[in-house]
Amino acid sequence: MSASADKELPTVYVIDDDASVREALRGLFESVRLLTETYASVQDFLASAPSNRPCCIVLDIRLPGQSGLEFQEMLAKQSDARPIVLISGHVDVQMAVRAMKAGAVDVLTKPVREQDLLEAVNRAIANDQRHRSERRARQSLLSRYATLSEREKQVMALVAAGKLNKQIAADVELTEATVKLHRGQVMRKMGAESVAQLVRLADMLRDAGGGALP
């Protein structure tokens, strides 16, 4: 298997201070062909600098040092937060609500039912893969938009607003032929095959933020 393919293999990171739990979960996840790495604490996990591949963190709520809940809330503040399934021998309502508000995929009580855990982990990995794909698509769109000249960006915004070449020419004080030239360049650089597609890309740019389009 190539290194690039290996980078895309989903991985489950298990963080639990109980060695028997770590090994039991490793066996469970590897039985369904999920790469698995185990850690005894949040500090061990952070020190290892795990690879940036699609993943899910299975995290014990009650850990020595930084608790699972505190770590989850810290990760939730990051733009590319990794999905987390929390497990604990004792889960009260307040704890579960706090975890779900911070974005936990699920909160499960030990001893965890294997099927429930596998379903939660698979759901988390699927969500992570989708979010990563969306981030790549958004970055690609922003990169293509960055190749446009200021005039091309202006023309793109006017085309997306539904204006005809003649109207755009009057607005930006160019000849209609020049507008057509800029418009063709915009379509090519943005990878749009129709005006309708260009309008969709413009909407996506607005959603992406960063002042891409007015």
Side-chain angles (χ1 to χ4, degrees):
M1 182 177 293
S2 69
S4 60
D6 182 64
K7 288 180 181 178
E8 289 303 311
L9 287 174
T11 301
V12 181
Y13 300 111
V14 177
I15 307 176
D16 196 300
D17 61 334
D18 187 325
S20 63
V21 171
R22 293 198 301 273
E23 289 313 303
L25 293 181
R26 179 196 294 276
L28 172 64
F29 296 133
E30 290 185 346
S31 73
V32 293
R33 300 184 178 181
L34 285 171
L35 294 180
T36 307
E37 297 180 16
T38 64
Y39 304 89
S41 68
V42 167
Q43 290 72 23
D44 288 348
F45 173 79
L46 293 174
S48 74
S51 58
N52 185 32
R53 51 166 72 105
C55 70
C56 169
I57 299 175
V58 175
L59 178 65
D60 188 16
I61 290 178
R62 301 180 188 277
L63 290 169
Q66 187 176 32
S67 75
L69 274 179
E70 291 169 341
F71 180 53
Q72 183 216 0
E73 289 171 340
M74 181 190 80
L75 285 184
K77 297 174 183 177
Q78 299 178 4
S79 60
D80 58 345
R82 297 172 180 182
I84 289 178
V85 174
L86 286 162
I87 57 175
S88 178
H90 305 281
V91 180
D92 58 41
V93 174
Q94 184 177 5
M95 187 184 296
V97 169
R98 177 180 167 186
M100 297 304 284
K101 281 186 175 180
V105 174
D106 211 336
V107 182
L108 302 172
T109 304
K110 295 178 183 178
V112 180
R113 184 170 171 266
E114 290 185 353
Q115 190 58 37
D116 291 342
L117 182 55
L118 288 174
E119 287 177 0
V121 165
N122 284 327
R123 188 164 67 250
I125 289 173
N127 288 344
D128 194 38
Q129 289 172 323
R130 185 179 69 255
H131 292 156
R132 286 167 182 270
S133 177
E134 290 171 352
R135 285 197 297 271
R136 286 194 296 268
R138 183 166 58 249
Q139 187 55 53
S140 173
L141 177 63
L142 290 171
S143 296
R144 297 199 304 274
Y145 183 71
T147 67
L148 301 185
S149 68
E150 289 305 311
R151 180 66 81 185
E152 287 166 351
K153 290 176 181 179
Q154 187 180 24
V155 169
M156 178 177 173
L158 292 170
V159 171
K163 294 203 171 187
L164 303 174
N165 289 343
K166 185 176 181 180
Q167 295 170 311
I168 296 172
D171 286 347
V172 299
E173 299 181 345
L174 293 174
T175 65
E176 192 170 344
T178 302
V179 168
K180 287 181 180 178
L181 179 63
H182 285 311
R183 181 168 171 164
Q185 286 289 85
V186 168
M187 300 286 283
R188 180 183 63 80
K189 291 181 179 181
M190 294 303 298
E193 296 180 357
S194 66
V195 172
Q197 187 178 3
L198 188 68
V199 170
R200 286 196 296 273
L201 293 176
D203 288 340
M204 291 169 64
L205 283 165
R206 293 189 186 94
D207 291 341
L213 273 178

Short mmCIF file of all heavy atoms in Angstrom, two decimals, residues 33-56:
data_model
loop_
_atom_site.label_atom_id
_atom_site.label_comp_id
_atom_site.label_asym_id
_atom_site.label_seq_id
_atom_site.Cartn_x
_atom_site.Cartn_y
_atom_site.Cartn_z
N ARG A 33 -11.04 -4.22 11.04
CA ARG A 33 -10.03 -3.63 10.16
C ARG A 33 -9.92 -2.11 10.28
O ARG A 33 -9.74 -1.40 9.28
CB ARG A 33 -10.28 -4.05 8.71
CG ARG A 33 -10.22 -5.56 8.51
CD ARG A 33 -10.37 -5.94 7.04
NE ARG A 33 -10.27 -7.39 6.87
CZ ARG A 33 -10.34 -8.01 5.71
NH1 ARG A 33 -10.51 -7.30 4.60
NH2 ARG A 33 -10.24 -9.32 5.63
N LEU A 34 -10.00 -1.63 11.50
CA LEU A 34 -9.76 -0.22 11.76
C LEU A 34 -8.39 -0.08 12.41
O LEU A 34 -8.09 -0.76 13.40
CB LEU A 34 -10.82 0.36 12.68
CG LEU A 34 -12.20 0.64 12.09
CD1 LEU A 34 -13.19 1.00 13.19
CD2 LEU A 34 -12.13 1.76 11.05
N LEU A 35 -7.53 0.77 11.84
CA LEU A 35 -6.25 1.04 12.48
C LEU A 35 -6.53 1.61 13.87
O LEU A 35 -7.42 2.44 14.05
CB LEU A 35 -5.44 2.05 11.67
CG LEU A 35 -4.96 1.61 10.29
CD1 LEU A 35 -4.17 2.74 9.63
CD2 LEU A 35 -4.10 0.37 10.39
N THR A 36 -5.77 1.17 14.85
CA THR A 36 -6.03 1.58 16.23
C THR A 36 -4.73 1.94 16.94
O THR A 36 -3.75 1.20 16.84
CB THR A 36 -6.73 0.45 17.02
OG1 THR A 36 -7.89 0.02 16.30
CG2 THR A 36 -7.16 0.93 18.39
N GLU A 37 -4.73 3.08 17.63
CA GLU A 37 -3.60 3.48 18.46
C GLU A 37 -4.15 3.77 19.85
O GLU A 37 -5.22 4.36 19.99
CB GLU A 37 -2.91 4.71 17.89
CG GLU A 37 -2.28 4.48 16.51
CD GLU A 37 -1.60 5.71 15.95
OE1 GLU A 37 -1.33 6.65 16.74
OE2 GLU A 37 -1.35 5.74 14.73
N THR A 38 -3.43 3.34 20.87
CA THR A 38 -3.93 3.48 22.24
C THR A 38 -2.99 4.35 23.08
O THR A 38 -1.77 4.33 22.89
CB THR A 38 -4.11 2.11 22.92
OG1 THR A 38 -2.83 1.47 23.05
CG2 THR A 38 -5.04 1.21 22.12
N TYR A 39 -3.59 5.08 24.03
CA TYR A 39 -2.84 5.98 24.90
C TYR A 39 -3.43 5.91 26.30
O TYR A 39 -4.65 5.78 26.47
CB TYR A 39 -2.91 7.41 24.38
CG TYR A 39 -2.43 7.54 22.95
CD1 TYR A 39 -3.30 7.40 21.88
CD2 TYR A 39 -1.08 7.78 22.69
CE1 TYR A 39 -2.85 7.48 20.57
CE2 TYR A 39 -0.62 7.86 21.37
CZ TYR A 39 -1.51 7.71 20.33
OH TYR A 39 -1.06 7.79 19.04
N ALA A 40 -2.56 6.06 27.32
CA ALA A 40 -3.01 5.98 28.70
C ALA A 40 -3.51 7.31 29.23
O ALA A 40 -4.18 7.37 30.27
CB ALA A 40 -1.87 5.47 29.59
N SER A 41 -3.21 8.41 28.52
CA SER A 41 -3.62 9.74 28.99
C SER A 41 -3.67 10.71 27.82
O SER A 41 -3.13 10.44 26.74
CB SER A 41 -2.64 10.27 30.04
OG SER A 41 -1.38 10.54 29.43
N VAL A 42 -4.31 11.84 28.07
CA VAL A 42 -4.35 12.91 27.07
C VAL A 42 -2.93 13.38 26.76
O VAL A 42 -2.58 13.65 25.61
CB VAL A 42 -5.22 14.07 27.57
CG1 VAL A 42 -5.02 15.31 26.71
CG2 VAL A 42 -6.69 13.67 27.60
N GLN A 43 -2.11 13.47 27.81
CA GLN A 43 -0.73 13.94 27.63
C GLN A 43 0.04 13.02 26.69
O GLN A 43 0.80 13.48 25.84
CB GLN A 43 -0.03 14.03 28.99
CG GLN A 43 -0.55 15.15 29.90
CD GLN A 43 -1.92 14.87 30.49
OE1 GLN A 43 -2.36 13.72 30.60
NE2 GLN A 43 -2.63 15.93 30.88
N ASP A 44 -0.15 11.70 26.85
CA ASP A 44 0.53 10.74 25.96
C ASP A 44 0.07 10.92 24.52
O ASP A 44 0.86 10.85 23.58
CB ASP A 44 0.23 9.30 26.41
CG ASP A 44 0.95 8.92 27.69
OD1 ASP A 44 1.85 9.68 28.11
OD2 ASP A 44 0.61 7.88 28.28
N PHE A 45 -1.22 11.14 24.35
CA PHE A 45 -1.78 11.33 23.01
C PHE A 45 -1.18 12.57 22.35
O PHE A 45 -0.73 12.53 21.20
CB PHE A 45 -3.30 11.46 23.10
CG PHE A 45 -3.97 11.83 21.81
CD1 PHE A 45 -4.19 10.89 20.81
CD2 PHE A 45 -4.40 13.13 21.58
CE1 PHE A 45 -4.81 11.23 19.62
CE2 PHE A 45 -5.02 13.48 20.39
CZ PHE A 45 -5.22 12.53 19.41
N LEU A 46 -1.16 13.68 23.09
CA LEU A 46 -0.64 14.92 22.53
C LEU A 46 0.86 14.83 22.26
O LEU A 46 1.35 15.40 21.28
CB LEU A 46 -0.92 16.08 23.50
CG LEU A 46 -2.40 16.44 23.69
CD1 LEU A 46 -2.56 17.50 24.78
CD2 LEU A 46 -3.01 16.93 22.38
N ALA A 47 1.58 14.09 23.09
CA ALA A 47 3.03 13.97 22.91
C ALA A 47 3.39 13.14 21.68
O ALA A 47 4.47 13.28 21.11
CB ALA A 47 3.65 13.34 24.15
N SER A 48 2.46 12.28 21.24
CA SER A 48 2.76 11.39 20.12
C SER A 48 2.57 12.05 18.77
O SER A 48 3.01 11.51 17.76
CB SER A 48 1.87 10.15 20.19
OG SER A 48 0.54 10.48 19.81
N ALA A 49 1.91 13.21 18.75
CA ALA A 49 1.61 13.91 17.49
C ALA A 49 1.02 12.96 16.46
O ALA A 49 1.63 12.68 15.42
CB ALA A 49 2.85 14.58 16.93
N PRO A 50 -0.17 12.38 16.71
CA PRO A 50 -0.78 11.42 15.78
C PRO A 50 -0.93 12.01 14.38
O PRO A 50 -1.09 13.22 14.22
CB PRO A 50 -2.15 11.15 16.41
CG PRO A 50 -1.98 11.49 17.85
CD PRO A 50 -1.02 12.64 17.88
N SER A 51 -0.88 11.14 13.39
CA SER A 51 -0.98 11.59 11.99
C SER A 51 -2.35 12.19 11.70
O SER A 51 -3.33 11.87 12.36
CB SER A 51 -0.72 10.41 11.05
OG SER A 51 -1.65 9.38 11.32
N ASN A 52 -2.37 13.05 10.72
CA ASN A 52 -3.60 13.77 10.39
C ASN A 52 -4.40 13.00 9.35
O ASN A 52 -4.54 13.40 8.21
CB ASN A 52 -3.25 15.17 9.87
CG ASN A 52 -4.49 16.00 9.63
OD1 ASN A 52 -5.48 15.84 10.32
ND2 ASN A 52 -4.44 16.86 8.64
N ARG A 53 -4.96 11.86 9.75
CA ARG A 53 -5.79 11.07 8.85
C ARG A 53 -7.22 11.04 9.39
O ARG A 53 -7.46 11.37 10.54
CB ARG A 53 -5.22 9.65 8.69
CG ARG A 53 -4.92 8.93 9.99
CD ARG A 53 -4.70 7.43 9.75
NE ARG A 53 -3.44 7.14 9.11
CZ ARG A 53 -2.38 6.63 9.72
NH1 ARG A 53 -2.42 6.39 11.02
NH2 ARG A 53 -1.29 6.35 9.05
N PRO A 54 -8.21 10.65 8.57
CA PRO A 54 -9.59 10.53 9.08
C PRO A 54 -9.60 9.67 10.34
O PRO A 54 -8.93 8.64 10.40
CB PRO A 54 -10.33 9.86 7.93
CG PRO A 54 -9.54 10.22 6.71
CD PRO A 54 -8.10 10.26 7.15
N CYS A 55 -10.34 10.11 11.35
CA CYS A 55 -10.22 9.40 12.61
C CYS A 55 -11.44 9.59 13.50
O CYS A 55 -12.38 10.33 13.18
CB CYS A 55 -8.98 9.89 13.36
SG CYS A 55 -9.16 11.59 14.00
N CYS A 56 -11.35 8.90 14.62
CA CYS A 56 -12.29 9.08 15.73
C CYS A 56 -11.49 8.86 17.00
O CYS A 56 -10.62 7.99 17.06
CB CYS A 56 -13.43 8.07 15.65
SG CYS A 56 -14.46 8.00 17.14
#
